[in-house]
């Protein structure tokens, strides 16, 4: 990292692409990817992705500008030191909005390091954070569909997944509806699947009776991997009772959490089987800290990386999973038709539900940012709470 290659600009970039069939919860055939682009004196730039811009683009813009003052005039290494310092500040630790933007900034700085030193994202992470690990193929599962999707939509998603050679998939279900046809179809047409009860994350009071009845119906499904987000945050304390009742079923949680302690509590206090951090919402450095805890305490592979954004998030997630294979079990691989992701998906080397990461690829591929040119939007959210 050259000391003279100082940061000259920190930009927020909102890009909108065509998305899905129009049946996705919250989306109207459009989806926004929120990026941070950091430029340097030597014309090397890095790009990172934040989850928060999808939901609150105005706050994404304001806070990116605010955080830029900690970076301008520093080199990439100095910027990463600032990220580390900010994460020790109680205000930043407990602010999901700020943390999500810090995640994008950190990704951007890692990208700059990779490009300065001719390294892949995975090798740059290894060098920056002193990780001694070889590269491994990454186990993935496909995700598409919505709680609003029909059985016909599910059939199309499974067909696309199998065409990509991914035989594990997540299906999103609404327990207030009859899901028997969807469950019967997916259990008989794909090797293994998980269920995301995302609808419970948007309600104040979970219908525990319906939830128990629904999970009871899953007892004899042998190719069920796990049930995700079974309870809303307001009722998370009820999980211990739920887990005792359904010991044979695996549960996961945490896509909206973004601190080390959040995930530690999910594992050690609530006793979830898996946690679902998203590195566009939890920084890479905190994910590594979490991974080290899991390894040092000889816990089983507990991390299933959540990924529901753009190709920057996908690329960094797959790269980091390739070197943290002792703690990361799988990575979510979104296959929903999204114009800004199609080039990256077709570029991935997928075989038998595994992605092989090429350690010779330098940084985030330039075409990922070039794909976004001409589709930039201003202060607009493609997500609507319904």
């Amino acid at each position: 990292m050259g000391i003279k290659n100082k940061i000259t600009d920190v930009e927020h970039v909102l890009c909108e692409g065509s998305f899905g069939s129009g049946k996705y919860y919250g989306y109207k055939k459009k989806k926004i990817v929120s990026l941070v682009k950091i430029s340097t004196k030597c014309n090397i730039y890095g790009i990172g992705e934040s989850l928060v811009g999808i939901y609150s683009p105005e706050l994404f813009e304001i806070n990116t500008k605010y955080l830029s003052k900690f970076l301008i005039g520093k080199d990439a290494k100095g910027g990463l030191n600032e990220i580390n310092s900010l994460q020790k500040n109680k205000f930043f630790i407990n602010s999901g909005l700020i943390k999500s933007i810090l995640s994008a900034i950190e990704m951007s700085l890692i990208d700059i390091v990779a490009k300065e030193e001719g390294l892949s994202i995975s090798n740059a992470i290894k060098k920056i954070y002193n990780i001694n690990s070889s590269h491994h193929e990454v186990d993935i599962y496909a995700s598409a569909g919505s709680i609003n999707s029909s059985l016909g939509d599910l059939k199309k998603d499974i067909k696309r997944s199998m065409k990509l050679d991914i035989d594990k998939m997540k299906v999103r279900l609404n327990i207030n509806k009859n899901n028997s046809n969807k469950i019967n179809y997916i259990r008989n047409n794909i090797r293994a699947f998980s269920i995301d009860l995302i609808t419970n994350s948007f309600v104040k009071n979970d219908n525990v009776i319906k939830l128990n009845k629904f999970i009871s119906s899953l007892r004899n499904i042998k190719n069920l991997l796990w049930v995700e987000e079974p309870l809303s945050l307001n009722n998370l304390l009820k999980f211990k009772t739920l887990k005792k009742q359904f010991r044979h079923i695996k549960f996961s949680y945490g896509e909206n959490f973004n601190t080390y302690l959040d995930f530690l509590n999910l594992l050690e206090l609530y006793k979830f089987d898996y946690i679902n951090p998203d590195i566009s919402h939890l920084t890479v450095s905190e994910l590594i800290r979490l991974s080290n805890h899991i390894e040092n305490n000889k816990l089983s592979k507990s991390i299933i990386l959540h990924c529901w954004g753009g190709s920057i998030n996908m690329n960094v997630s797959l790269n980091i999973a390739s070197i943290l294979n002792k703690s990361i079990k799988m990575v979510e691989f979104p296959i929903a038709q999204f114009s800004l992701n199609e080039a990256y998906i077709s570029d991935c080397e997928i075989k038998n539900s595994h992605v092989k990461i090429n350690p010779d690829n330098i940084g985030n591929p330039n075409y990922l940012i070039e794909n976004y040119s001409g589709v930039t939007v201003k202060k607009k959210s493609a997500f609507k709470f319904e």
Side-chain angles (χ1 to χ4, degrees), residues 340-355:
L340 302 183
N341 283 0
E342 293 303 309
Y344 182 77
I345 290 175
S346 64
D347 202 35
C348 284
E349 187 178 341
I350 304 172
K351 186 176 181 181
N352 193 25
S353 297
H354 286 77
V355 173

Side-chain angles (χ1 to χ4, degrees), residues 100-116:
S100 187
I101 300 171
L102 286 178
S103 300
I105 291 173
E106 187 187 47
M107 276 191 232
S108 303
L109 295 169
I110 292 170
D111 191 21
I112 290 173
V113 173
K115 290 169 181 174
E116 285 179 336

Side-chain angles (χ1 to χ4, degrees), residues 56-68:
S56 188
E58 293 88 353
L59 291 176
F60 176 68
E61 176 187 8
I62 293 168
N63 285 282
T64 301
K65 287 181 179 179
Y66 167 72
L67 291 169
S68 68

